[in-house]
Amino acid sequence: MEAQAPPESDGPKPTRRGPRAAPTRAGRFELVTRIGVGGMASVERVVAVKVMHPHLANDEAFVKMFMQEARLAASVQHPNVVGVLDVGRDDDLLYAVMDYVEGDTLASIQATAAALERAVPLGVVLRVVLDALAGLDAAHELRDEAGESLPGVH
């Protein structure tokens, strides 16, 4: 999906799911639906917008880590690495706009297996691990203009 700025109308706003004390905009993007939350940021949707948690936005170490991760991901061209479309800062809001990948999350697969009192099938586990390793390898293989390895984010 392509990143789109919201229309310039005062029409009805999209309905938001769940409680949200977080921002409703990231630069020119309207944040509509949260699809995940990690330790450093939340992830939003139409395109996926990863938004740094506000309480971390004033911590330069986290800002540096967030920006380094976004720059590295934007440099990797691999089917197992989500494309980064834009990175920005809007006042104290730091965000990365990424391609949205449709499908189940690993957490939902694990929850389903747990609810069924079963393990995640070995073939699924191996596919996830191998795909993740292939994407990580692509990031480790990045080189700058001089052929030097780029610093990685783990």
Side-chain angles (χ1 to χ4, degrees), residues 130-144:
L130 290 173
D131 287 351
L133 288 172
L136 185 59
D137 181 61
H140 280 278
E141 293 299 317
L142 285 178
R143 302 281 184 252
D144 63 16

Side-chain angles (χ1 to χ4, degrees), residues 116-152:
L116 296 171
E117 297 182 358
R118 295 187 176 176
V120 175
L122 181 59
V124 172
V125 172
L126 292 174
R127 178 80 278 144
V128 169
V129 170
L130 290 173
D131 287 351
L133 288 172
L136 185 59
D137 181 61
H140 280 278
E141 293 299 317
L142 285 178
R143 302 281 184 252
D144 63 16
E145 298 80 29
E148 299 294 319
S149 295
L150 296 177

Side-chain angles (χ1 to χ4, degrees), residues 89-119:
R89 183 182 283 241
D90 188 20
D91 295 322
D92 289 334
L93 183 69
L94 193 59
Y95 61 92
V97 181
M98 303 175 296
D99 291 325
Y100 176 70
V101 178
E102 187 73 38
D104 291 326
T105 65
L106 181 56
S108 72
I109 293 169
Q110 290 173 313
T112 299
L116 296 171
E117 297 182 358
R118 295 187 176 176

Side-chain angles (χ1 to χ4, degrees), residues 39-116:
M40 188 168 65
S42 61
V43 181
E44 307 289 335
R45 163 197 230 160
V46 170
V47 290
V49 182
K50 183 175 184 175
V51 180
M52 177 172 269
H53 292 310
H55 69 278
L56 298 176
N58 293 322
D59 184 324
E60 285 305 313
F62 280 101
V63 169
K64 181 179 177 183
M65 188 173 15
F66 187 93
M67 295 302 292
Q68 183 181 15
E69 177 186 323
R71 280 193 291 271
L72 179 67
S75 300
V76 179
Q77 300 298 313
H78 189 275
N80 297 342
V81 177
V82 174
V84 175
L85 307 171
D86 190 17
V87 178
R89 183 182 283 241
D90 188 20
D91 295 322
D92 289 334
L93 183 69
L94 193 59
Y95 61 92
V97 181
M98 303 175 296
D99 291 325
Y100 176 70
V101 178
E102 187 73 38
D104 291 326
T105 65
L106 181 56
S108 72
I109 293 169
Q110 290 173 313
T112 299
L116 296 171

